[in-house]
Amino acid sequence: MKLVSTRNNHQVVSFKQAIFDCMPADGGLYVPYSEHDLRSWILHMNEQTAFSAIAGSLTAALLKEEISPVISERIAAAAFKDFSPRLRQLDDRLFLLELFHGPTGNHRDFGFLWLASALEHLLTMDEKQAIVIASSTGAGGRSMAAAFGNKKHLKLIILYPKGCARGLKPEHLVQNGGSVYPVEVDGDNADVENLIRLIYQERNIIEKYNLTLANTVNIGRILPQVFFYMFAFTRIKTRTAGEIFYAVPSGNYGNLAAGLYAWKFCLPVNGFITDATPALTCDDAGPCCCMASSVPLAERGHADAAVPSSIERLEQIFSVSPAVMKSIIFPAAVSDQEAENLIRLSYKRYGIMFDTATAHAYAAVQNRNMFKRQGVESLVLVSKDHPAFESDILSRICGEPPIIPEYLHGIDTPLQNVPLITGRKEELIHILNLVKEVQ
C-alpha cells in the first residue's frame, strides 16, 4: 500500500514509513494513494470466517508490496486472537455492530491492538526500537496500555493531567517488566495536549527517539477500522437482499473515514448516516456539506498531534468528485434529547443500552427518514463503547444501571508513585532518556 499526504499527492511513501513517520512535513495526513479492489477477498469470506482471519487476509491483500502474507497474518493473529467485534440482529432490517468487545470495552481497542502489533513486528524485523507518546484522561490510556503493554521493541509514555492516572494493569508498567510509563502533568488536559504538540513539532526529537503516534493521526489506527465493515458484511450478506447502510457516530471521523476506505476497497455499501456537526453537516437543500473545505489547505495549520480529526481525509476522498459525497454520506442534526429518547425506547424494545454516541447516530437515521418505507434496505448501527462507561447517564435514562463486566472492575483505581512533571519540554525529554535506557 502506497500513501500520500492529503496536501501533496505527488510524494508517495510506503506504509512502513507512514506508520512510523506518521505526520507528513506538509502538515497533512497520510491517506491511501490508490484504490484497492478487495472484492474477491470480501466475497470469499463468510459467517464462519473469524475476525482475526478476516483481518489477516485483508492485511495481506493491502500490504502485499511490503510485507509477506505470513507476517501480515501474524500481525492480525497477535492482535485479535482473543478479541472480535460482534454483530447482533435486532429485527428484520436492523443490525448492531458492537465494537466494545476488546480488552477494555473501548472501540479504540481494535485499532490500538493492530497498530501495536504491526509496529512491533516491523521493529523486530529491523532490530529497532520506538517510543509512542500519548495523552489520556482514562479510557484511552487503558486501551493503549492493553495493546502496547507487553511489547519488546515499543515503549508507551502516557501523559495524564494531575490525578488522572488510573486503571492500568501492574504487569503493563515498565517497572514491572512491561512497556508502559505513565506520567502526570501538573495541569489540566489542555496542558498535556500542549506538551504533546511541543514534542512532535521538534523534528530532531522525533528522529532521535524514533517517536510515533498511536492516535488517528496515524494511518495505522485507521486501517484496522476498515476491517469492522468487512466483518459486518460477512455476517449479513446472506440475511439481506437489498441496500446496506451504516449508521456511524461522528466522533473525530475515524470510523467514518475507515468506512469510506472500505467502500473504496469495493465493499458493497450504499451509504453512511451520521450525526451532523459543525464540520460535516447539511446545506440548505439537505445534501452533505463539509464546512472545512471552505478554508484552502494552504491556509490551514498542521494536523494536530494531540487532538486529531480525520475530516481532512474525508475531504481528500471526495476532492475529485464532490457530488459523490452527497450521494453516500447523509448527516442529520440530532439533539441530545432525541438521542436520550432513542436510548430509552431501544432499551424497552431490544433490552440493549446504547451509549450516547451510538444513540446520536441512530437518531440521525430516524431524522433522515430513510428507513420508514417498507423496503429491503438494511441498517448496521455501529455501537462504539461499553455502556458501563456512561453508567450514571444510562441509569437516569433507563431506570437501571448497565451491567458492568468483570474486566472493567478496578478501572478507577489510582496508580501509585506516578512521576509528576510541571509540563516543560525538558522534563519530558528527561523521561524519554529514562525510557530509552530501559530499552
Side-chain angles (χ1 to χ4, degrees):
M1 172 182 275
K2 302 299 183 182
L3 298 109
V4 294
S5 170
T6 50
R7 304 187 187 185
N8 178 6
N9 61 3
H10 299 295
Q11 186 173 353
V12 181
V13 304
S14 67
F15 173 77
K16 180 179 176 181
Q17 180 178 340
I19 64 168
F20 281 104
D21 186 15
C22 60
M23 297 189 70
D26 59 20
L29 298 168
Y30 280 121
V31 295
Y33 174 64
S34 59
E35 298 182 7
H36 296 261
D37 188 347
L38 303 183
R39 189 181 292 107
S40 61
W41 299 79
I42 297 167
L43 296 178
H44 174 72
M45 298 179 290
N46 56 41
E47 285 189 76
Q48 282 68 51
T49 311
F51 180 68
S52 59
I54 292 172
S57 295
L58 297 177
T59 299
L62 292 169
L63 305 184
K64 59 186 177 183
E65 297 174 358
E66 293 182 59
I67 303 174
S68 73
V70 172
I71 298 300
S72 292
E73 290 173 6
R74 286 179 182 173
I75 288 171
F80 305 134
K81 64 180 184 298
D82 297 321
F83 306 106
S84 172
R86 296 181 188 174
L87 189 84
R88 295 174 182 243
Q89 184 164 5
L90 301 187
D91 61 33
D92 289 344
R93 296 190 297 151
L94 178 62
F95 300 84
L96 183 68
L97 178 61
E98 296 178 340
L99 304 183
F100 51 77
H101 294 287
T104 73
N106 189 307
H107 74 282
R108 289 171 285 191
D109 286 349
F110 291 97
F112 287 138
L113 286 166
W114 190 92
L115 175 61
S117 182
L119 292 171
E120 179 77 357
H121 277 80
L122 293 173
L123 289 167
T124 301
M125 292 165 62
D126 292 344
E127 298 182 345
K128 292 183 177 180
Q129 308 284 329
I131 298 174
V132 173
I133 303 176
S135 64
S136 177
T137 56
R142 291 189 298 274
S143 186
M144 283 185 283
F148 288 84
N150 61 350
K151 300 297 181 277
K152 302 299 182 184
H153 295 263
L154 275 167
K155 290 291 184 293
L156 170 66
I157 298 173
I158 307 178
L159 301 179
Y160 295 90
K162 184 178 180 181
C164 291
R166 60 188 65 233
L168 303 188
K169 292 185 177 181
E171 62 267 26
H172 291 155
L173 304 180
V174 166
Q175 61 265 36
N176 298 323
S179 309
V180 182
Y181 196 96
V183 178
E184 290 190 341
V185 177
D186 192 7
D188 58 19
N189 201 42
D191 296 309
V192 173
E193 292 168 354
N194 286 333
L195 182 55
I196 297 266
R197 294 186 187 102
L198 281 174
I199 288 294
Y200 283 99
Q201 287 170 2
E202 299 278 351
R203 190 71 201 174
N204 61 321
I205 296 177
I206 292 173
E207 293 176 355
K208 179 178 180 179
Y209 298 99
N210 199 14
L211 299 182
T212 190
L213 289 162
N215 58 31
T216 52
V217 163
N218 196 323
I219 190 66
R221 267 286 310 284
I222 298 292
L223 186 63
Q225 293 171 212
V226 170
F227 306 153
F228 298 153
Y229 299 93
M230 310 299 194
F231 171 83
F233 179 71
T234 65
R235 270 58 186 167
I236 69 173
K237 65 181 182 178
T238 60
R239 306 187 213 176
T240 181
E243 298 175 340
I244 300 173
F245 292 82
Y246 290 84
V248 186
S250 56
N252 68 359
Y253 298 107
N255 274 328
L256 182 55
L260 289 165
Y261 290 140
W263 166 66
K264 289 176 73 68
F265 297 160
C266 297
L267 176 74
V269 57
N270 297 91
F272 298 90
I273 306 161
T274 189
D275 48 303
T277 68
L280 189 71
T281 186
C282 304
D283 61 24
D284 292 339
C288 178
C289 128
C290 184
M291 302 305 294
S293 299
S294 61
V295 180
L297 291 174
E299 298 178 14
R300 302 183 195 180
H302 282 211
D304 194 335
V307 186
S309 170
S310 285
I311 193 71
E312 196 166 306
R313 288 189 171 110
L314 302 188
E315 293 179 86
Q316 188 273 340
I317 291 171
F318 295 103
S319 60
V320 177
S321 178
V324 175
M325 175 178 273
K326 297 181 179 182
S327 68
I328 199 168
I329 300 182
F330 306 100
V334 174
S335 70
D336 290 343
Q337 187 58 55
E338 288 173 321
E340 288 194 10
N341 290 342
L342 267 181
I343 291 173
R344 187 178 298 107
L345 178 64
S346 298
Y347 184 56
K348 291 180 179 178
R349 179 176 297 171
Y350 305 117
I352 294 174
M353 290 186 183
F354 295 152
D355 63 278
T356 54
T358 303
H360 275 78
Y362 195 20
V365 175
Q366 304 296 319
N367 290 348
R368 270 282 181 172
N369 295 322
M370 296 179 68
F371 289 85
K372 288 192 174 180
R373 60 187 184 277
Q374 297 300 312
V376 292
E377 306 91 347
S378 293
L379 175 69
V380 179
L381 177 59
V382 178
S383 184
K384 291 175 63 176
D385 296 332
H386 197 286
F389 294 133
E390 296 183 317
S391 183
D392 291 344
I393 296 172
L394 296 181
S395 295
R396 173 178 58 80
I397 297 172
C398 300
E400 57 183 306
I403 297 173
I404 300 177
E406 186 175 350
Y407 68 86
L408 290 182
H409 292 173
I411 62 175
D412 291 323
T413 303
L415 301 183
Q416 302 298 316
N417 303 316
V418 178
L420 178 66
I421 62 176
T422 63
R424 292 185 299 113
K425 180 174 65 177
E426 293 74 17
E427 294 173 294
L428 186 50
I429 291 174
H430 174 68
I431 289 171
L432 282 167
N433 287 323
L434 293 176
V435 170
K436 192 173 182 181
E437 289 176 7
V438 174
Q439 291 179 338

